[in-house]
């Protein structure tokens, strides 16, 4: 195993720069840099760092020694807390590159080694990747929960239940010549299997993690001149869409990313929907408006817009509230005066909350849902099945599928993609 190193803190200049070294030559590298024997583990020691080749001082730094396997990667690890100037960091990295057996780490290599050495599972690694890319409070909370092992604990519970069932079925197979024993065991596990299936399906049916990671799509739909573009601009506090009295001005989909109440939202302005449009370009825009309505999570429906095929949560909105009189259904707002905007934002917040995974629930990503779906399919076959060999095989398939969530099965290509998305030094 090669020893790797990298700058693990932000790009210099900075007050402090942290360089991390991991692998079998980490301790020797620290000794070569400090000219001192290794200190006690996990004790910060102030030392002068030297270039071993010519004795040139590099920096006065705090050094920490973490012998494996009790380290972040499961290997011997050294941390160097340097002054964060560019020249200092460059000199130390250059010196490390000249030491025998050391090389610059690749993106995500520290985290991958932690996974391969059993310090974290795959779900926790995915949570760490989400945490590093989190831009909103909701994303941060969800990622922290996954890094903390929430998904690991959930799948571990299912795995323990399935292993107990598997053991009983294997015992039934061993006593297959005693029909009463085998039949009793197989009939008794039906209720347990169905309970596991119900538990898994409950989690699969929760709102998906992608909504939290990439943002909820909030489409503004309605006829021409119903105030869609003006409302969008007011919602995002900038002039993203062209506003005009000429019908059909908006021809394409306009997206604007904002954070509202700690939740990522994608507001979408669309072409005005009318049935008598003759311009081919406008007709394309209208077609895209319908498409957006059918993939949106939330729809702000202006001018009585309605589409029975949408599965989105629809909020009826009447615009130009400063120019009209009388009672109207839904929310009445004026993008020009601000009338009703606070109530609209509150309604959008409430709608968004209902479209997202509950804060205390595990949010499953697509990969997790596919794996757990395979487990459910295998377990469903067991219901009513009398052949203990078939039952044993389906339980085995379910165990493998649940194991995919935390990395219990081989998925080398997927691992390359996941860890390659990390920054160097993580």
């Amino acid at each position: 195993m090669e020893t790797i190193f990298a700058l693990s803190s932000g790009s210099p200049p900075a007050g402090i720069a942290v360089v991390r070294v991991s692998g079998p030559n980490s301790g020797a590298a620290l000794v070569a840099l400090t000219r001192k024997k290794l200190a006690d583990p996990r004790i910060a020691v102030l030392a002068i760092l030297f270039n071993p080749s010519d004795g040139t001082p590099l920096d006065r730094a705090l050094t920490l020694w973490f012998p494996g396997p009790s380290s972040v990667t499961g290997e011997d690890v050294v941390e160097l807390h340097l002054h964060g100037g560019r020249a200092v960091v460059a000199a130390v990295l250059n010196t490390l590159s000249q030491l025998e057996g050391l090389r610059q780490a690749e993106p995500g290599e520290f985290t991958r080694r932690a996974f391969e050495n059993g310090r974290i599972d795959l779900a926790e690694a995915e949570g760490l990747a989400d945490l590093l890319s989190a831009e909103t409070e909701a994303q941060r909370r969800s990622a922290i929960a996954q890094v903390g092992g929430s998904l690991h604990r959930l799948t571990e519970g299912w795995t323990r239940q399935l292993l107990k069932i598997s053991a009983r079925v294997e015992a039934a197979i061993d006593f297959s010549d005693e029909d009463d024993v085998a039949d009793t065991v197989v009939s008794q596990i039906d209720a347990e299997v169905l309970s596991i299936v119900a538990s898994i399906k409950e989690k699969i049916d929760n709102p998906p993690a992608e909504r939290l990671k990439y943002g909820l799509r909030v489409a503004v739909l309605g006829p021409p001149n119903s105030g869609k573009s003006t409302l969008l601009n007011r919602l995002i506090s900038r002039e993203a869409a062209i506003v005009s009295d000429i019908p059909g001005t908006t021809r394409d989909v306009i997206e604007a990313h904002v954070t509202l109440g700690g939740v990522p939202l994608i507001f979408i302005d669309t072409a005005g929907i009318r049935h008598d449009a003759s311009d081919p370009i406008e007709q394309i825009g209208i077609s895209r408006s319908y498409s957006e309505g059918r993939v949106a999570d939330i729809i702000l429906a202006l001018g009585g817009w309605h589409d029975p095929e949408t599965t989105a949560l629809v909020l009826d909105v009447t615009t130009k509230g400063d120019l009209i009189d009388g009672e109207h259904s839904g929310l009445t707002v004026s993008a020009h005066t601000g009338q009703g905007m606070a109530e609209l934002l509150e309604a959008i917040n409430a709608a968004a909350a209902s479209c997202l995974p509950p804060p205390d629930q595990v949010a499953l990503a697509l990969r997790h849902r596919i794996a757990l779906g395979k487990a459910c399919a295998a377990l469903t076959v067991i219901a009513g099945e009398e052949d203990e060999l078939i039952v044993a095989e389906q339980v085995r398939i379910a165990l493998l599928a649940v194991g995919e969530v935390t990395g219990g099965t081989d998925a080398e290509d997927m691992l390359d993609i996941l860890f390659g998305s990390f920054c160097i030094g993580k």
Side-chain angles (χ1 to χ4, degrees):
M1 175 69 72
E2 295 177 296
T3 299
I4 58 174
F5 66 89
L7 175 67
S8 291
S9 55
S11 299
I16 297 293
V18 179
V19 171
R20 183 181 288 169
V21 186
S22 179
N25 292 335
S26 297
L30 182 58
V31 170
L33 288 172
T34 61
R35 299 178 178 176
K36 296 179 180 180
K37 67 178 183 179
L38 291 175
D40 292 336
R42 290 169 288 281
I43 300 296
V45 176
L46 184 64
I48 297 176
L49 306 183
F50 298 93
N51 186 329
S53 64
D54 59 14
T56 303
L58 301 172
D59 191 25
R60 196 162 179 256
L62 282 178
T63 65
L64 292 106
W65 162 240
F66 304 95
S70 300
S71 71
V72 66
T73 62
E75 305 172 336
D76 291 346
V77 170
V78 164
E79 284 189 3
L80 306 173
H81 294 234
L82 315 169
H83 292 94
R86 289 191 179 92
V88 173
V89 173
V92 171
L93 293 178
N94 182 59
T95 299
L96 288 171
S97 69
Q98 296 174 18
L99 298 181
E100 184 177 355
L102 270 67
R103 65 166 175 82
Q104 178 80 31
E106 297 176 358
E109 193 167 4
F110 286 93
T111 307
R112 181 160 187 162
R113 290 191 177 195
F115 166 73
E116 291 173 343
N117 292 322
R119 298 298 293 176
I120 58 174
D121 65 28
L122 188 55
E124 291 166 332
E126 289 172 317
L128 183 55
D130 290 342
L131 184 61
L132 293 173
S133 62
E135 295 181 352
T136 70
E137 178 62 15
Q139 291 169 340
R140 183 195 65 79
R141 288 198 306 267
S142 176
I144 281 287
Q146 192 157 324
V147 170
S150 58
L151 187 51
H152 172 88
R153 290 188 292 273
L154 186 64
T155 56
E156 189 176 43
W158 292 328
T159 298
R160 282 198 303 268
Q161 290 176 280
L162 290 172
L163 285 173
K164 289 179 181 178
I165 291 172
S166 179
R168 289 160 61 190
V169 175
E170 293 296 336
I173 293 173
D174 290 339
F175 292 96
S176 58
D177 54 334
E178 301 180 29
D179 292 339
D180 290 345
V181 174
D183 292 345
T184 299
V185 168
V186 172
S187 62
Q188 285 178 344
I189 68 171
D190 268 6
E192 296 175 45
V193 168
L194 291 175
S195 175
I196 296 172
V197 170
S199 176
I200 294 176
K201 284 186 174 180
E202 179 188 357
K203 302 304 179 185
I204 292 176
D205 291 341
N206 276 341
E210 288 82 8
R211 288 180 176 175
L212 190 58
K213 184 173 183 178
Y214 302 114
L216 293 169
R217 298 185 70 82
V218 184
V220 186
L221 295 166
N225 285 355
S226 57
K228 298 184 301 301
S229 298
T230 304
L231 179 61
L232 177 92
N233 291 343
R234 179 81 184 205
L235 287 167
I236 66 174
S237 300
R238 62 185 177 89
E239 299 294 318
I242 297 174
V243 176
S244 171
D245 293 331
I246 303 172
T249 302
T250 302
R251 300 295 186 93
D252 209 343
V253 173
I254 298 173
E255 295 187 358
H257 296 248
V258 298
T259 299
L260 187 62
V263 175
L265 301 176
I266 307 170
F267 281 105
I268 304 159
D269 189 22
T270 60
I273 297 174
R274 55 177 175 174
H275 301 295
D276 59 349
S278 57
D279 187 316
I281 303 300
E282 185 180 355
Q283 290 174 348
I284 294 173
I286 292 171
S287 175
R288 292 181 179 180
S289 296
Y290 276 108
S291 296
E292 286 296 332
R294 290 164 188 171
V295 298
D297 301 298
I298 301 169
I299 290 174
L300 305 184
L302 279 58
W305 177 90
H306 176 68
D307 181 359
E309 294 189 33
T310 186
T311 58
L313 199 159
V314 179
L315 300 177
D316 289 317
V317 181
T318 299
T319 55
K320 306 178 183 180
D322 55 325
L323 302 177
I324 57 177
D325 297 317
E327 294 292 327
H328 300 276
S329 62
L331 296 156
T332 300
V333 304
S334 169
H336 288 295
T337 67
Q339 171 191 338
M341 290 302 298
E343 290 78 6
L344 176 59
L345 290 172
E346 186 178 332
I348 293 172
N349 260 331
S354 69
C355 293
L356 292 174
D360 59 340
Q361 295 284 331
V362 174
L364 299 180
L366 178 60
R367 185 184 71 81
H368 307 146
R369 298 196 301 276
I370 291 174
L372 294 176
K374 289 191 290 187
C376 282
L379 293 175
T380 301
V381 172
I382 295 174
E385 178 58 58
E386 298 180 357
D387 189 327
E388 59 266 23
L389 291 175
I390 294 176
V391 172
E393 176 63 11
Q394 295 305 315
V395 172
R396 185 190 70 82
I397 293 172
L399 276 166
L400 288 173
V402 172
E404 288 181 25
V405 175
T406 53
T409 56
D410 185 31
E412 192 67 25
D413 290 342
M414 186 271 295
L415 294 179
D416 288 340
I417 294 171
L418 169 63
F419 293 111
S421 68
F422 282 74
C423 57
I424 294 173
K426 194 59 184 172

